[in-house]
């Protein structure tokens, strides 16, 4: 083959990748979510997808694929073509699930981090009939009458389950975990006084707290939540070092083009700075939290290790 023709061909091939990346997105982008419509993750996903659609002039469509604590959606995206057209709206379930069960994806090896969306606390909430006025009083009551106390969550292997087990570990209690098929069912039983306390997402609980039907004793993050400024943290309440949050991010299949990652991260961080987006996320119980892809990657690695250790220490498995 003529050498000049070969060189020209190689140059053309080298230019093909950047030009294709520059054309992205040339068709609708699917944002896969592993949970049912209506929850805080779904609300956040739709806020962001609507803004991305306006920003790019191309549709970003949320597709709900609920089941197995988000594992079905995560597995689907981990096997998708890494072309930037199939993304995972990833709650921290992508690191909690693998800590207690065998999954068909690895949260570190099978995905590339793209952007953090939001972060917020879980809440330790009680039915008022439980009559604990503080975390310290709740612990004393549970130690005096352990058979009367259990804790609810929205399912096995999510961060609410882990928060309850961390609470057990730090208090010396052995409260039985009562998992539900979603936060709505857990709240219904909490309202009906079928369970005394629960660890739940902030947003769905807020209306019942405001109406006086439920009482929040503490938030699980190290800092107080601006949506509940008068509620202490568990750290303030005597459980020093207790710091657990729920977060939402976007990741793609391993091999997603770097140009796509950079472009998406930049656009999303701009969106998260918009006042209406901040307000809507706060109403759902979370704070907008822009990050670089590298920072999100470190968060995933750090949380994967800490949840795995807690699961081992508390003998959590499915």
């Amino acid at each position: 083959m003529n050498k000049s023709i070969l060189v020209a061909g190689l140059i053309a091939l080298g230019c093909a990748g950047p030009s294709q990346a520059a054309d992205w997105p040339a068709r609708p982008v699917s944002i896969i979510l592993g949970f049912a419509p209506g929850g805080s993750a779904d609300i956040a996903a739709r806020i962001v997808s609507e803004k991305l659609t306006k920003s790019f002039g191309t549709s970003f469509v949320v597709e709900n694929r609920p089941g197995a604590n988000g594992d079905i959606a995560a597995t689907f995206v981990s096997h998708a073509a890494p072309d930037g057209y199939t993304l995972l709206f990833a709650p921290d379930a992508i690191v909690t699930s693998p800590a207690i069960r065998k999954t068909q994806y690895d949260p570190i090896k099978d995905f590339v981090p793209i952007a953090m969306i939001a972060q917020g606390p879980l809440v330790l909430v009680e039915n008022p009939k439980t009559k604990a006025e503080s975390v310290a009083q709740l612990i004393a009551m549970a130690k005096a009458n352990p058979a009367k106390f259990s804790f609810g969550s929205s399912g096995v292997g999510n961060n609410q389950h882990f928060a309850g087990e961390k609470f057990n570990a730090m208090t010396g209690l052995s409260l039985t975990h009562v998992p539900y098929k979603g936060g709505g069912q857990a709240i219904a039983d909490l309202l009906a006084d079928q369970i005394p306390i629960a660890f739940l997402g902030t947003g769905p609980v807020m209306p019942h707290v405001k109406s006086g039907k439920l009482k929040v004793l503490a938030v699980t993050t190290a800092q107080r939540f601006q949506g509940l400024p008068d509620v202490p943290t568990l750290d303030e309440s005597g459980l020093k070092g207790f710091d657990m949050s729920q977060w939402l991010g976007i990741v793609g299949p391993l091999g997603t083009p770097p140009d796509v990652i950079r472009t998406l991260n930049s656009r999303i961080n701009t969106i998260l700075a918009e006042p209406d987006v901040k307000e809507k996320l706060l109403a759902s119980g979370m704070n907008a939290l822009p990050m670089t892809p590298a920072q999100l990657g470190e968060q995933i690695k750090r949380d994967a290790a800490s949840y795995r250790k807690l699961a081992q220490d508390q003998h959590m498995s499915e």
Side-chain angles (χ1 to χ4, degrees), residues 36-144:
S40 56
D42 181 72
I43 291 169
R46 293 179 190 282
I47 291 169
V48 172
S49 66
E50 180 182 341
K51 291 286 187 175
L52 286 172
T53 296
K54 290 180 180 178
S55 178
F56 284 101
T58 303
S59 295
F60 282 70
V61 182
V62 176
E63 295 183 18
N64 299 86
R65 291 176 177 251
N69 195 38
D71 289 359
I72 292 172
T75 300
F76 175 80
V77 175
S78 71
H79 292 101
D83 54 12
Y85 290 96
T86 305
L87 308 173
L88 178 67
F89 199 85
D92 41 35
I94 65 167
V95 291
T96 61
S97 273
I100 69 159
R101 60 170 73 96
K102 183 174 178 58
T103 58
Q104 296 181 54
Y105 65 89
D106 184 295
I108 299 168
K109 296 178 181 178
D110 293 335
F111 299 105
V112 290
I114 295 174
M116 179 69 89
I117 302 300
Q119 195 171 46
L122 300 170
V123 290
L124 170 54
V125 60
E126 71 170 2
N127 182 296
K129 292 181 181 178
T130 304
K131 297 183 178 180
E133 295 298 323
S134 66
V135 173
Q137 188 174 6
L138 173 68
I139 294 169
M141 291 166 62
K143 287 185 175 179

Side-chain angles (χ1 to χ4, degrees), residues 125-130 187-193 195-196 205-216:
V125 60
E126 71 170 2
N127 182 296
K129 292 181 181 178
T130 304
I187 290 171
D189 265 13
L190 193 61
L191 288 167
D193 199 26
I195 50 173
V205 168
M206 295 280 273
H208 304 290
V209 173
K210 289 178 179 177
S211 69
K213 294 179 180 178
L214 295 176
K215 180 176 181 179
V216 175

